[in-house]
Amino acid sequence: MIEAQGLSRRFGSITAVDQLSFKLKPNGITGFLGPNGAGKTTTIRMITGALAASEGSVLIGGKDSFEEADALRGRIGYLPERPPLVPELSVKEQLGYVAAVKGVQVDDSLAERCGIQEVWRQLQGELSKGFRQRVGLACALVGSPDLLILDEPTSGLDPHQVESMRNLVMELGQDRTVLLSTHLLPEVERLCEHVLMIHQGRLVADESLESLLEAHQGSLQDAFLTRCGFAESEP
Amino acid sequence: MRATFAVMRVELLRHLTTPAFYLLLFFLSLTSGYFLLVLIRGFIELTLQFGANPEAVNLHFHERIIAPLILSVENIFLLVIPLITMRSIAGERSQGSFEFVASSRLRPWQYVLGKSLAMDVLVFLLILPVAFQGMLLRINAEQGSAFDTPGFLLSLVGLFLLGRSFAGLGLAVSAMTRSPALAAGATFFLLLLAWVLASAGGGDGFLAQILPQLSPLTRLENFAIGRFVVADLLFFLVVMVATFILATRAVDAHRWQG
């Protein structure tokens, strides 16, 4: 489904992403882990086509993410860390806007699926953090994309909202490819079958969760600290 | 085009559902209304003073009232339009809603066209108070009076073209930064430069003749007196197209620069 080939991105003299290559198969949830500043968001932005790569390419369903952007319209759903909502629009208007830009129609069941019926006509500038995340997810789901990319979807949510969001992500992963970027290791352990780990722009893990845990005495934290080179600095 | 119109609709909602635009519209109405009253009062005094000897001074109604009114509104546009365009693309980038556009596969020209169409509507709304003031004069004018309706409409067209050119420049600047305040400041500075260019004439030198012609404010003068000059229309169209291209390139550059 997604194939990155030698993906690199430089900002002046800084290499944010360095020769990333990986392949994700269709359906299922892949965790995308890495410390702050590792290059996760940069990689995600290159996958979505929001940022051009300095080198390499991303193929989605065999099509280049940047060169064949038109063909991929509507096939990718992206929820950034900060949901890209227009505060002056109502939830209904926002989803209509997203649908128009993607060239699709809004699915009537979307509001119920994302639990946003009660705020359907409310201005987004007045929504709580939890509802903003849900609306952001609904926007990402407009057009039923094959690929869903979620960047810290549970960030800032209360425990009940976190649980609700995780259940929804698990459900979504059953019939589409989900790339879940997160700092929360328990979230990865619960939701993901496959793990990509990135540190200083380089891929340090690309394997199943089971195999990663097996290699690190069943501890994802240990795997994270070791693979990202933090383990040696522990007292 | 559905996507373009969606961008236009959202941009209009962003402006028309917040008080800021209406405050600017009120400010423009109040200021232009005040100028109109001053101009009418001055014209009445002139008429009383020179009515018996009209050859001594120009008592042409359009040139004494309408043209100065239009030219005064152009100065108000210098302040008002940067405050509108700053919220356009720069405002979206600072709010975070631009990320959706960047990752949506919407082509930059479609996005900028949507924004530009919204600016067409907003500038049209800005000239409505002036149109209303002219309509009041027309209604109260006596039969056979000197109110030049086609001339006045042409003046409004010129004002729209000027406002739209300013908005195009503001949009291009707004696309180059994520700070709305910086976008407003830079746009105002550039419009001030246009105002200085317009004032650079008056001498005999080559530059004194050429520089004012490069300013949109100079190009409004013929429209203001009800005279249509093709070169002026082409000038405005060139400015609008050039700023459209600049804005499109700036939006596209975000994908390359990050």
Side-chain angles (χ1 to χ4, degrees), chain A residues 9 52 70 73 82 104, chain B residues 2 95 105 107 255-256:
Chain A
R9 174 70 204 194
D70 278 347
R73 189 179 297 191
R82 185 179 164 196
V104 297
Chain B
R2 182 181 165 212
Q95 277 177 348
R105 282 69 168 79
R107 290 175 191 265
R255 296 187 177 191
W256 298 96

Side-chain angles (χ1 to χ4, degrees), chain A residues 52-226:
Chain A
S54 302
E55 271 177 46
S57 63
V58 176
L59 299 178
I60 298 174
K63 293 183 172 29
D64 189 293
S65 171
F66 204 76
E67 300 293 331
E68 297 176 86
D70 278 347
L72 291 169
R73 189 179 297 191
R75 292 190 60 190
I76 302 174
Y78 174 39
L79 172 61
E81 188 171 353
R82 185 179 164 196
L85 308 180
V86 181
E88 294 88 356
L89 299 186
S90 68
V91 173
K92 181 184 176 189
E93 285 166 342
Q94 175 75 39
L95 290 175
Y97 172 47
V98 170
V101 168
K102 286 186 177 182
V104 297
Q105 299 297 324
V106 179
D107 183 359
D108 290 337
S109 65
L110 201 52
E112 189 180 339
R113 195 173 193 193
C114 297
I116 54 175
Q117 310 99 299
E118 65 187 273
V119 295
W120 190 240
R121 293 186 188 278
Q122 202 168 326
L123 291 180
Q124 292 174 134
E126 298 166 0
L127 295 180
S128 67
K129 168 74 174 171
F131 272 120
R132 288 175 60 82
Q133 288 290 117
R134 285 166 176 265
V135 173
L137 181 61
C139 290
L141 288 172
V142 167
S144 295
D146 304 320
L147 169 62
L148 193 59
I149 302 175
L150 308 175
D151 196 349
E152 310 277 0
T154 57
S155 167
L157 302 185
D158 66 39
H160 171 66
Q161 291 169 333
V162 167
E163 186 62 22
S164 179
M165 180 66 82
R166 285 178 183 171
N167 288 335
L168 183 54
V169 171
M170 199 182 304
E171 184 192 318
L172 291 169
Q174 288 170 4
D175 55 5
R176 55 175 54 79
T177 306
V178 178
L179 183 65
L180 175 65
S181 174
T182 179
H183 286 125
L184 303 174
L185 301 183
E187 198 159 88
V188 176
E189 285 180 304
R190 183 175 159 195
L191 299 177
C192 305
E193 301 124 14
H194 194 87
V195 174
L196 294 174
M197 205 179 291
I198 182 174
H199 178 53
Q200 292 181 342
R202 294 197 182 92
L203 205 60
V204 296
D206 176 7
E207 53 200 283
S208 68
L209 177 66
E210 189 182 339
S211 130
L212 194 61
L213 290 174
E214 211 173 289
H216 293 274
Q217 293 87 46
S219 168
L220 188 57
Q221 181 169 334
D222 185 63
F224 181 89
L225 293 173
T226 306

